[in-house]
Amino acid sequence: MTSPAPQLVVGFDLDMTLIDTVPGFVAVLAALGAELDVDFPVDEMTDRLGPPLDMMLADHLAPEEIAPAGDRFRELYPDHAVHPVPLLPGAREAVDAVRRQGGRVVVVTGKFTRNAQLHLDHLGLDVDHLEGWVWGVGKADVLRREGAQLYVGDHVHDVEGALAAGVLSVSVLTGGCTREELVAAGTHVVLDDLAAFPAWLEGYLTRSGVTA
């Protein structure tokens, strides 16, 4: 008896994969800097979004200041960072493409879960599961638990998470990492942006036999 093909489950990163987080980060860093009297180099800090906030703050604050500053950043975030942040091109269509195949959409992000949910709600992006505050290879446990076949991200650490989970790594060039960096990290597929994802997904399903 032939076993049924597995259900399609697609994981997506959030920042700079589904949403353009830069305007929101700039606004929150400016507000935090004003409170702390610190002139954060916001252009430099938002050039390659993806690493955890504590890592971003580490070069600009004393060690004992990082955790409180991170807490305050997350408190400021809802009022400053949700409304300015748009979907990236093709994001809604990419999610819809998974839905048309009867698949599940899982968002796995390093962002604080509550703030990530605010973005999804504000932009009307319906997903089956959101997992926040996981980074790099830490995403692998979530992807395995949710039964994902592929993970879509923009950063080399998204590639690390996909490879650690043993799933297909699909990378988009909407973040700060170059094609060469993503390929060197081991990604299987590189797309210019999510606008190319629906056509790619259709071809992938035809080749792999994954179904709804």
Side-chain angles (χ1 to χ4, degrees):
M1 185 176 190
T2 303
S3 298
Q7 181 187 26
L8 174 65
V9 180
V10 178
F12 289 93
D13 177 46
L14 184 63
D15 292 342
M16 305 313 298
T17 299
L18 289 170
I19 63 175
D20 181 1
T21 328
V22 171
F25 259 77
V26 168
V28 182
L29 285 171
L32 180 65
E35 287 190 4
L36 300 179
D37 196 24
V38 175
D39 185 16
F40 290 115
V42 293
D43 289 341
E44 174 188 328
M45 293 175 72
T46 56
D47 185 51
R48 293 170 68 95
L49 286 177
L53 178 62
D54 286 0
M55 291 176 60
M56 295 177 63
L57 296 174
D59 290 337
H60 311 287
L61 297 173
E64 67 275 10
E65 297 174 323
I66 293 172
D71 289 342
R72 183 56 180 153
F73 182 99
R74 287 180 280 273
E75 290 171 358
L76 291 167
Y77 197 96
D79 290 336
H80 293 272
V82 175
H83 288 275
V85 168
L87 287 170
L88 282 163
R92 194 177 303 281
E93 292 79 4
V95 170
D96 289 346
V98 179
R99 295 280 189 227
R100 282 197 301 273
Q101 300 293 340
R104 297 179 65 246
V105 175
V106 178
V107 173
V108 187
T109 175
K111 186 180 292 298
F112 185 51
T113 306
R114 180 168 57 85
N115 289 338
Q117 187 65 59
L118 290 174
H119 283 295
L120 297 178
D121 292 344
H122 173 67
L123 295 167
L125 209 58
D126 182 32
V127 306
D128 295 286
H129 180 73
L130 167 65
E131 189 93 14
W133 261 16
V134 282
W135 166 248
V137 296
K139 296 184 176 184
D141 288 341
V142 183
L143 295 171
R144 283 192 293 261
R145 186 186 72 220
E146 295 299 320
Q149 288 88 31
L150 56 138
Y151 183 60
V152 186
D154 65 282
H155 200 280
V156 294
H157 293 297
D158 296 325
V159 178
E160 291 175 357
L163 297 182
V167 305
L168 195 75
S169 169
V170 179
S171 297
V172 289
L173 298 176
T174 45
C177 293
T178 66
R179 181 183 299 271
E180 292 74 18
E181 289 171 327
L182 293 162
V183 169
T187 195
H188 302 101
V189 178
V190 180
L191 306 174
D192 287 341
D193 56 33
L194 285 177
F197 181 80
W200 175 87
L201 179 65
E202 187 173 349
Y204 164 76
L205 294 176
T206 299
R207 294 188 300 273
S208 67
V210 176
T211 62

